Amino acid sequence: MKTDLQLQQDVLTELKWEPSINAAHIGVEAKDGVVTLSGHVNSFTEKWNAERAAKRVAGVKVLAIDIEVNIPGSEKQSDTDIATAIRNALKFSTYIYPESLKVEVDNGLVTLTGEVEWNYLKEAAEDTVRFVKGVKSVINLISIKSTLSAKNVKADIEAALKRRAQIEAQNIQVVVNGDEVTLKGNIHSWPERRLATSAVWSVPGVRKVVDRMNITY
């Protein structure tokens, strides 16, 4: 079990190790496995990379992000320019149909709404928007069409968990309620949590995943 100081230093080191981040502008606090990132960065992508870097560190149970995105004056864009750039980016995306989505931009804050058939399309839309110049934050409210009908959906999810060797599937309980799936149990890392939730999202028609898993070290 790491001390708060050890965890803080490990996260700081990981941030410095990540070339896409200016770690000098990010502060780290740690207490009982809860890590808070603060400070400022020049882009939403840098903020996102900082979050990913912190999650790679063993011992991080809960992550709070209090980082501000301060876009340099020479790179600032109007909301109209940002919206146009997003539409163009979505238009040339391989998987996404822009006409099924609605984009709203307010002072660099982007809200995505609409409906898609798969969760990976929802994530792909957010990934596309994240890299658009001038974006400060993204709220992804895209919904997923409900198509769950198979009675053995629980068995399908449990089988998917077992196929992923990095997950101790026997420690995870799957509860299916309509188009909502809840995961319970103990896991050992953020990557393991990501593998488990992505296995559930791979089932067509799942509209909500409730993550009640605990990270234990």
Side-chain angles (χ1 to χ4, degrees), residues 92-116:
F92 289 103
S93 172
T94 305
Y95 308 104
I96 307 165
Y97 301 98
E99 60 272 12
S100 66
L101 304 179
K102 182 179 179 180
V103 179
E104 295 182 3
V105 185
D106 183 7
N107 194 30
L109 171 63
V110 178
T111 302
L112 299 176
T113 55
E115 192 175 52
V116 294

Side-chain angles (χ1 to χ4, degrees), residues 88-101 115-128 142:
N88 290 334
L90 291 174
K91 181 179 179 180
F92 289 103
S93 172
T94 305
Y95 308 104
I96 307 165
Y97 301 98
E99 60 272 12
S100 66
L101 304 179
E115 192 175 52
V116 294
E117 294 183 354
W118 294 80
N119 184 68
Y120 82 88
L121 294 174
K122 176 177 179 177
E123 293 184 347
E126 182 173 339
D127 289 342
T128 300
I142 298 172

Side-chain angles (χ1 to χ4, degrees), residues 71-91:
I71 299 175
S74 60
E75 297 183 9
K76 287 185 177 179
Q77 304 287 310
S78 70
D79 288 344
T80 300
D81 290 338
I82 294 172
T84 300
I86 289 172
R87 276 297 174 188
N88 290 334
L90 291 174
K91 181 179 179 180

Side-chain angles (χ1 to χ4, degrees), residues 49-64:
N49 286 336
E51 179 180 347
R52 289 202 309 165
K55 286 181 177 179
R56 291 197 294 262
V57 178
V60 176
K61 295 181 179 180
V62 179
L63 185 62

Side-chain angles (χ1 to χ4, degrees), residues 120-197:
Y120 82 88
L121 294 174
K122 176 177 179 177
E123 293 184 347
E126 182 173 339
D127 289 342
T128 300
V129 172
R130 184 182 298 120
F131 296 99
V132 172
K133 188 175 182 180
V135 171
K136 294 181 180 179
S137 183
V138 180
I139 299 176
N140 193 343
L141 300 180
I142 298 172
S143 61
I144 300 170
K145 296 178 182 178
S146 179
T147 57
L148 279 183
S149 59
K151 294 181 180 179
N152 63 339
V153 63
K154 183 176 183 292
D156 290 343
I157 292 172
E158 290 174 340
L161 291 173
K162 291 177 181 179
R163 285 197 299 271
R164 305 194 175 201
Q166 299 94 328
I167 303 176
E168 295 184 16
Q170 68 273 15
N171 295 331
I172 300 176
Q173 180 184 359
V174 179
V175 180
V176 179
N177 183 16
D179 53 19
E180 177 180 303
V181 177
T182 299
L183 296 178
K184 303 178 181 179
N186 296 322
I187 52 176
H188 303 297
S189 66
W190 284 91
E192 189 173 332
R193 166 173 270 158
R194 175 64 177 171
L195 282 169
T197 55

